[in-house]
Amino acid sequence: MKNGDHLFLVDGSGFIFRAFHAIPPLNRKSDGLPVNAVSGFCNMLWKLLKDARNTDVGVTPTHFAVIFDYSSKTFRNELYDQYKANRTAPPEDLIPQFGLIRHATRAFNLPCIEKEGFEADDLIATYARLAEAAGADVTIVSSDKDLMQLVTPKVSMYDSMKDKQISVPEVVEKWGVTPDKMIDLQAMTGDSTDNVPGIPGIGPKTAAQLLEEYGDLDTLLARAEEIKQQKRRENIIANRAQALLSRQLVTLRTDTPLDVPLEDLVLETQDGPRLIAFLKAMEFTSLTRRVAEACDCDASAIDPATVPVEWGAEAHGPDLDKDEAPGPGTEGASGESAADAAETLLPTASADGYEPAQLARTRAARFSGQPIDHSAYVTIRDLATLDRWVADARETGLVGFDTETTSLDAMQAELCGFSLAIADNARDPSGVSIRAAYVPLLHKSGVGDLLGGGMVEGQIPMRDALSRLKGLLEDPSVLKVAQNLKYDYLVMKRHGITMQGFDDTMLMSYALDAGAGTHGMDSLSERWLGHKPIAYKDVAGSGKGAQTFDMVDIDRATAYAAEDADVTLRLWHVLKPRLAAEKMTTVYERLERPLVPVLARMEERGITIDRQILSRLSGELAQGAAAFEDEIYELAGERFTIGSPKQLGDILFGKMGLPGGSKTKTGQWSTSAQVLEDLAAQGVPLARKIVDWRQLTKLKSTYTDALPGFVHPETKRVHTSYALAATTTGRLSSSEPNLQNIPVRNAEGRKIRTAFIATPGHKLVSADYSQIELRVLAHVAEIPQLKQAFADGIDIHAMTASEMFGVPVDGMPADVRRRAKAINFGIIYGISAFGLANQLSIERSEAGDYIKRYFERFPGIKDYMDQTKAFARENGYVETIFGRRAHYPEIKSSNPSVRAFNERAAINAPIQGSAADIIRRAMVKMEPALADGGLSARMLLQVHDELVFEVEDAEVERAIPVIVGVMENASMPALSMKVPLKVDARAALNWDEAH
DNA sequence: GTCCGACCGTA
DNA sequence: TTACGGTCGGACG
């Protein structure tokens, strides 16, 4: 084990008890075997492991073990025969689960560790300290306070049930002392559940206060006479020996003899079939399905494992009477003959030669250029035929799905029909021949009265079709495959159908190939299938002659719509194995797919805008702009189109003969705000007027005039659309309207934000990450000063200025800090002297000097940038901390400026993209967390580092800590950040005041 | 009608 | 110096 490795230690015994009491009773259907703790345990492990990626980045687990108590009798009973003496026997329903959880651990292909005479905590302590000494990071998956004494900057804990990281600050917050003082604190307070005596009358608060004053227990005992409170003094003096004994009891052993060396805890790849066999034996259907999907295994082909169940108390569990316990120590040491025998019954992995990369190649070859026959598509016109298709889809468990509607806007779209594509097993049992059908529902004939003609005959009634569709789409055991699923998901949701069990080929492509081509269906089809699908405009027309899809002839519609479902399912067959082969399954499943329903709900909710405010602002802006126009014509000596950069340039630099600044790439004089500001500074009043005029007209045309047009006629709210696969870095984008660029930077623009308001009886809550990109930089580049500054919560730009310019933080001139801030941003953007000079309006040489000095003060940054560039050149892509890839195919361009641009983008992408990953994770976790808290708060908007919620007045105080907690802990458990994440949140009646 | 460049709003 | 989307003017057809 080495620096950069990361060891996960799961407190298995702790988990069993906690899960048993926290998770509602769950019994195996076939025989009533209680399995709630096993279920919780398997889900927890799966979650941890799905987050864990097998890369060489080193921030995710490289080593992993689950630790158990062997029995209740340990060396501590030699010290104190009453240790844990008041524990009662475990509940009957828990007893069989001790053994099952050990089986589960092995089915997950994880080391399962226990040691006679020691508690799990001692093993954890020993492994943690060894790993730490080797330079690795450690995450202990537990929330037990007894383990908090182990926390250090390199060792943190993770409460998997609350999804909270516990590091030094959290320990201090909870107990009032740093982790290294936890032993003394516990020695003083004792522990009634473990029967550790402590000192009577001393609780956590008093203990923390005494430790604050005296430093440690020994000093306190030595100077006990000084304590003022008589009772307390007497208690401490009288119970001196008891305190020292308690300290012995609570001190975890870091010298436990280990049967399994640290090095052997290396995290192995999953054995899909073995795990599935176990899960099937437990009858955990949904987890079985998820696992099968993740490893591309066919669960139906795997038999359930034979798992022996031990109802007797002999099976080792922490609190069972173990006098006659069998002899096994650690996994594989001995004993457990029944279990060993059972495991030989498990199917072996890869018996059928499953190998993702090979499968991906086979599939790509098979589908590329395979002809697509439109004449084979069918139109489904009656319920009986639809029922047969639905039954066939259920049979194969896999169906391509697409909706046809009247609008690209999912909130306005009317459903006209839908198409299905399924494997044609009858014709080709071995594989992947596909048949497809279109189900028209609301097609109208072109002829008829002025209202657009009547319904075409031979269409299934909407109600009947939807009822059949509901059964199929809501069944999680049938995988629906769509292209740009969010659209179809939202359309179906508006018809009362909540899809479950789905994949999205667009998002698969995005996870695999962001930056390398687009992810629309037509381009994917041409790229992977060598087939150009029928163009929409060839079916429905375009421009003025365009008709809505319900007016399209049904035969034409069938060819077009069925082909979409067909192509989508073919693309799935090509892309799905690539995810596994290229190790992008986790990115897809954690950061892409789960966001579909989350974003669909946000879009569906929308946000209220106050049209009166906007209308008033529009009036004010119009007046202001008109006044500027008169003055501008006066100063220019003629009337012209102020909004035309070309005409403006001719006036300023031609007619008036002013010195031009820069030129645009087409050779025109630039009239950018920067150029005009420079002219204004040189005493050209016209320039200032133009700048001001532009600001007003921009606000009016882009915001105050445009936004009311987006108010939905029924909901009366504004529903933006988020694009999941639009950026190279992993950010979302927002359009129609874009709610990610609502003004905020100056007072005039901010007025627009006051028009975004909460529903009566509610508040808007805005929660945003503080400096998330710089924190990510500190994390990935391992910059000691940055990490320290964030840990201490000090002003990061001031710290940078202080390091660079030797100016003390106290009383620092604003301009010095401003420069440092610009440099920090520059670093994130892949700095160049040219760009920094531009930003700060200084000479290139001076900017170059700044950069040089920055790199001298923070050499790690230079290393990081060089390494990132080298990685991008070598691989053609870069990676975020969660493994998302951004491709830069032009990074080796022979054109120096193209190359330099790609290098800067490649340096920026891991930083911007990691931040995007973090907020994506927060968004996925947010709704369950709010529901757990009994909160009805609704997430409405995302603006890259900010989430906006609508919260009932009475809930605001409870909701804010939940929201902040989810966001600050969003990276867990996949990785623990080396820098804390900080979130600020505020509630108000409108977005301006909440932000 | 459609496309592109310039400009500017956000993180 | 990174990442976006919207509006406008103006050129093209």
Side-chain angles (χ1 to χ4, degrees):
Chain A
M1 191 169 290
K2 59 186 184 305
N3 203 335
D5 282 350
H6 198 137
L7 170 64
F8 270 49
L9 295 166
V10 177
D11 173 15
S13 294
F15 187 88
I16 295 174
F17 278 95
R18 191 139 170 255
F20 180 78
H21 292 106
I23 297 171
L26 172 72
N27 298 87
R28 184 156 73 179
K29 276 225 172 57
S30 57
D31 62 359
L33 177 72
V35 288
N36 62 333
V38 186
S39 167
F41 182 77
C42 290
N43 280 300
M44 185 266 290
L45 276 189
W46 179 245
K47 195 160 161 257
L48 287 174
L49 292 167
K50 287 300 293 171
D51 271 327
R53 291 174 47 257
N54 296 316
T55 67
D56 52 4
V57 180
V59 288
T60 52
T62 54
H63 295 69
F64 206 114
V66 185
I67 319 279
F68 295 95
D69 290 327
Y70 175 79
S71 69
S72 60
K73 289 283 191 294
T74 66
F75 70 91
R76 289 186 177 82
N77 295 92
E78 309 288 324
L79 290 169
Y80 180 55
D81 60 1
Q82 291 300 299
Y83 181 68
K84 293 199 175 179
N86 55 8
R87 283 267 170 117
T88 54
E92 194 182 343
D93 276 2
L94 182 52
I95 290 169
Q97 302 196 57
F98 291 120
L100 293 174
I101 282 180
R102 285 170 170 78
H103 281 287
T105 305
R106 287 185 283 264
F108 273 94
N109 211 12
L110 296 172
C112 177
I113 295 187
E114 52 200 303
K115 178 78 178 171
E116 184 169 12
F118 294 89
E119 296 186 39
D121 291 356
D122 297 308
L123 285 158
I124 290 171
T126 304
Y127 280 119
R129 287 290 175 257
L130 280 174
E132 190 178 18
D137 293 303
V138 180
T139 296
I140 298 168
V141 182
S142 171
S143 57
D144 191 338
K145 74 166 189 314
D146 296 350
L147 289 164
M148 290 183 185
Q149 59 182 266
L150 298 173
V151 171
T152 68
K154 293 196 75 85
V155 178
S156 61
M157 292 171 64
Y158 172 63
D159 179 345
S160 61
M161 300 186 75
K162 287 193 180 151
D163 189 24
K164 282 271 192 289
Q165 186 175 359
I166 304 165
S167 349
V168 177
E170 284 79 12
V171 174
V172 174
E173 190 185 335
K174 185 157 174 29
W175 295 99
V177 297
T178 48
D180 55 300
K181 296 210 169 29
M182 278 302 292
I183 292 175
D184 284 353
L185 181 137
Q186 289 176 263
M188 293 158 75
T189 59
D191 185 326
S192 58
T193 54
D194 289 349
N195 221 21
V196 173
I199 301 172
I202 306 276
K205 289 283 180 292
T206 311
Q209 186 198 322
L210 290 168
L211 286 169
E212 169 78 17
E213 195 172 339
Y214 293 91
D216 57 44
L217 179 61
D218 290 323
T219 311
L220 171 69
L221 294 176
R223 295 166 52 194
E225 303 291 350
E226 300 171 18
I227 293 168
K228 294 190 183 64
Q229 300 91 333
Q230 186 194 351
K231 193 83 187 153
R232 185 176 296 175
R233 182 173 63 243
E234 288 166 0
N235 260 334
I236 291 172
I237 292 168
N239 292 285
R240 193 172 177 278
Q242 206 166 292
L244 292 172
L245 168 67
S246 297
R247 184 165 67 182
Q248 275 189 287
L249 292 172
V250 301
T251 302
L252 299 181
R253 292 269 298 259
T254 56
D255 60 349
T256 313
L258 299 178
D259 298 320
V260 182
L262 184 63
E263 306 302 326
D264 288 4
L265 303 185
V266 63
L267 179 59
E268 306 283 353
T269 52
Q270 286 296 299
D271 180 344
R274 176 183 178 183
L275 178 54
I276 288 167
F278 175 82
L279 296 172
K280 285 184 79 164
M282 292 297 106
E283 298 169 20
F284 298 153
T285 47
S286 69
L287 186 56
T288 301
R289 191 180 61 77
R290 292 210 299 275
V291 172
E293 217 176 274
C295 67
D296 215 6
C297 294
D298 179 5
S300 62
I302 297 170
D303 292 327
T306 307
V307 181
V309 178
E310 300 174 47
W311 284 90
E314 304 79 31
H316 33 231
D319 291 293
L320 303 183
D321 180 358
K322 50 84 58 210
D323 283 348
E324 50 185 271
T330 57
E331 161 68 3
S334 66
E336 296 225 358
S337 53
D340 289 348
E343 288 190 4
T344 62
L345 299 174
L346 294 172
T348 54
S350 305
D352 57 353
Y354 157 71
E355 207 280 298
Q358 178 58 42
L359 185 60
R361 283 191 295 272
T362 312
R363 290 270 177 86
R366 167 150 198 176
F367 281 95
S368 95
Q370 191 183 71
I372 288 182
D373 180 7
H374 293 154
S375 69
Y377 295 146
V378 301
T379 308
I380 297 178
R381 294 175 176 281
D382 62 273
L383 215 43
T385 310
L386 177 58
D387 283 336
R388 277 201 303 281
W389 277 73
V390 168
D392 289 348
R394 285 180 180 283
E395 182 66 29
T396 58
L398 177 66
V399 57
F401 176 70
D402 188 31
T403 55
E404 299 303 335
T405 68
T406 56
S407 169
L408 279 171
D409 176 354
M411 279 302 294
Q412 309 262 359
E414 300 261 9
L415 185 66
C416 307
F418 63 91
S419 44
L420 303 173
I422 59 180
D424 194 349
N425 285 340
R427 210 168 67 192
D428 179 7
S430 69
V432 276
S433 288
I434 289 168
R435 60 194 167 106
Y438 179 59
V439 188
L441 297 171
L442 273 186
H443 283 252
K444 305 184 179 83
S445 67
V447 293
D449 60 28
L450 287 171
L451 295 171
M455 283 275 292
V456 173
E457 297 281 307
Q459 300 185 80
I460 300 172
M462 180 68 80
R463 272 189 51 181
D464 296 340
L466 285 178
S467 77
R468 304 309 203 270
L469 207 46
K470 189 175 171 75
L472 185 70
L473 298 184
E474 294 190 342
D475 182 348
S477 68
V478 182
L479 185 66
K480 276 71 64 178
V481 181
Q483 164 74 17
N484 189 15
L485 171 70
K486 178 163 63 68
Y487 181 87
D488 306 279
Y489 183 97
L490 196 43
V491 169
M492 295 324 298
K493 184 145 188 295
R494 288 178 48 233
H495 284 88
I497 295 173
T498 302
M499 294 179 65
Q500 286 198 77
F502 44 72
D503 263 333
D504 183 340
T505 46
M506 181 182 79
L507 297 184
M508 290 179 166
S509 171
Y510 182 59
L512 289 162
D513 296 322
T518 54
H519 313 286
M521 197 186 72
D522 290 359
S523 82
L524 293 180
S525 178
E526 293 201 41
R527 200 178 313 156
W528 295 106
L529 310 178
H531 171 79
K532 192 173 175 140
I534 303 172
Y536 182 82
K537 67 177 192 318
D538 291 344
V539 177
S542 65
K544 219 175 71 165
Q547 39 181 355
T548 49
F549 202 80
D550 55 343
M551 301 307 290
V552 171
D553 167 76
I554 288 183
D555 287 342
R556 297 279 298 146
T558 294
Y560 171 83
E563 183 188 43
D564 276 3
D566 183 3
V567 164
T568 300
L569 190 55
R570 287 170 199 248
L571 288 172
W572 182 86
H573 277 110
V574 173
L575 296 174
K576 181 82 186 200
R578 276 191 65 205
L579 287 175
E582 295 169 41
K583 298 213 188 300
M584 297 307 289
T585 307
T586 306
V587 169
Y588 170 69
E589 291 187 355
R590 310 296 296 200
L591 301 175
E592 305 292 346
R593 191 175 61 185
L595 228 57
V596 168
V598 174
L599 290 176
R601 284 189 285 270
M602 291 168 68
E603 294 180 11
E604 188 183 27
R605 289 172 194 138
I607 186 167
T608 299
I609 61 171
D610 184 331
R611 275 183 285 193
Q612 286 200 326
I613 291 178
L614 292 176
S615 146
R616 183 165 47 74
L617 283 173
S618 277
E620 289 169 14
L621 292 167
Q623 280 204 313
F628 278 120
E629 280 158 28
D630 290 341
E631 298 180 55
I632 287 166
Y633 296 145
E634 182 75 25
L635 288 165
E638 62 177 299
R639 294 176 73 86
F640 66 104
T641 307
I642 306 171
S644 163
K646 187 171 177 297
Q647 293 184 33
L648 177 62
D650 287 344
I651 299 226
L652 290 172
F653 308 115
K655 181 178 163 189
M656 297 176 69
L658 293 165
S662 58
K663 294 224 177 145
T664 68
K665 63 181 168 188
T666 54
Q668 290 282 324
W669 286 111
S670 167
T671 64
S672 68
Q674 176 72 64
V675 168
L676 296 178
E677 291 284 1
D678 290 348
L679 285 178
Q682 292 165 37
V684 181
L686 176 58
R688 160 71 46 207
K689 304 281 182 208
I690 302 278
V691 170
D692 291 342
W693 177 87
R694 276 190 183 162
Q695 194 200 352
L696 300 187
T697 54
K698 169 90 177 177
L699 293 177
K700 183 169 186 292
S701 67
T702 307
Y703 302 105
T704 60
D705 286 353
L707 283 171
F710 287 100
V711 172
H712 191 283
E714 277 137 40
T715 68
K716 310 289 186 201
R717 286 161 76 97
V718 172
H719 306 263
T720 184
S721 174
Y722 289 102
L724 265 163
T727 70
T728 303
T729 54
R731 276 192 176 179
L732 306 180
S733 74
S734 156
S735 62
E736 294 180 310
N738 181 355
L739 296 186
Q740 290 179 325
N741 72 344
I742 303 301
V744 71
R745 289 179 189 170
N746 63 57
E748 199 57 39
R750 263 206 304 277
K751 288 180 184 169
I752 290 162
R753 288 199 173 215
T754 65
F756 287 79
I757 56 174
T759 300
H762 294 66
K763 296 280 189 296
L764 291 183
V765 171
S766 163
D768 68 307
Y769 284 107
S770 161
Q771 308 283 10
I772 189 169
E773 293 191 348
L774 278 173
R775 287 171 199 262
V776 167
L777 176 69
H779 173 87
V780 296
E782 299 255 22
I783 309 302
Q785 302 99 309
L786 284 180
K787 287 202 285 186
Q788 192 62 48
F790 282 125
D792 297 345
I794 66 172
D795 179 336
I796 200 71
H797 300 310
M799 183 283 291
T800 305
S802 180
E803 281 274 345
M804 281 191 62
F805 305 116
V807 180
V809 169
D810 283 341
M812 173 177 292
D815 190 60
V816 174
R817 184 179 178 280
R818 183 183 67 89
R819 287 180 204 207
K821 183 175 173 180
I823 296 167
N824 277 332
F825 276 100
I827 294 296
I828 290 170
Y829 297 154
I831 203 155
S832 75
F834 181 86
L836 183 63
N838 244 355
Q839 179 67 28
L840 288 177
S841 299
I842 56 177
E843 291 300 316
R844 276 260 281 285
S845 56
E846 195 182 359
D849 288 344
Y850 284 177
I851 295 168
K852 189 158 160 263
R853 200 175 323 170
Y854 190 99
F855 285 156
E856 282 165 9
R857 304 301 297 177
F858 306 102
I861 300 272
K862 179 92 174 89
D863 293 344
Y864 168 75
M865 293 173 83
D866 289 343
Q867 282 166 20
T868 306
K869 270 191 278 188
F871 185 93
R873 265 197 294 274
E874 173 78 17
N875 298 287
Y877 64 83
V878 290
E879 281 194 336
T880 67
I881 55 179
F882 291 98
R884 173 189 301 285
R885 292 179 185 168
H887 294 262
Y888 292 93
E890 293 189 297
I891 190 100
K892 288 184 181 174
S893 168
S894 56
N895 178 334
S897 71
V898 170
R899 193 170 61 240
F901 175 78
N902 275 272
E903 286 172 355
R904 290 194 299 272
I907 288 167
N908 172 254
I911 303 168
Q912 186 184 118
S914 297
D917 290 347
I918 289 169
I919 197 165
R920 279 180 182 236
R921 290 178 59 92
M923 293 170 74
V924 170
K925 294 167 166 215
M926 190 61 73
E927 296 189 354
L930 291 170
D932 277 358
L935 296 159
S936 64
R938 306 182 308 163
M939 183 159 60
L940 305 185
L941 303 178
Q942 190 250 40
V943 192
H944 308 308
D945 66 359
E946 173 190 14
L947 295 172
V948 179
F949 301 80
E950 193 165 58
V951 187
E952 283 176 27
D953 287 335
E955 266 186 14
V956 167
E957 280 196 31
R958 280 199 303 129
I960 285 179
V962 173
I963 290 165
V964 169
V966 168
M967 291 175 75
E968 290 186 340
N969 289 288
S971 79
M972 294 302 288
L975 70 88
S976 53
M977 299 283 294
K978 300 186 171 91
V979 167
L981 295 177
K982 181 165 173 276
V983 170
D984 301 308
R986 207 162 18 180
L989 287 171
N990 67 60
W991 194 6
D992 180 39
E993 285 164 39
H995 185 73

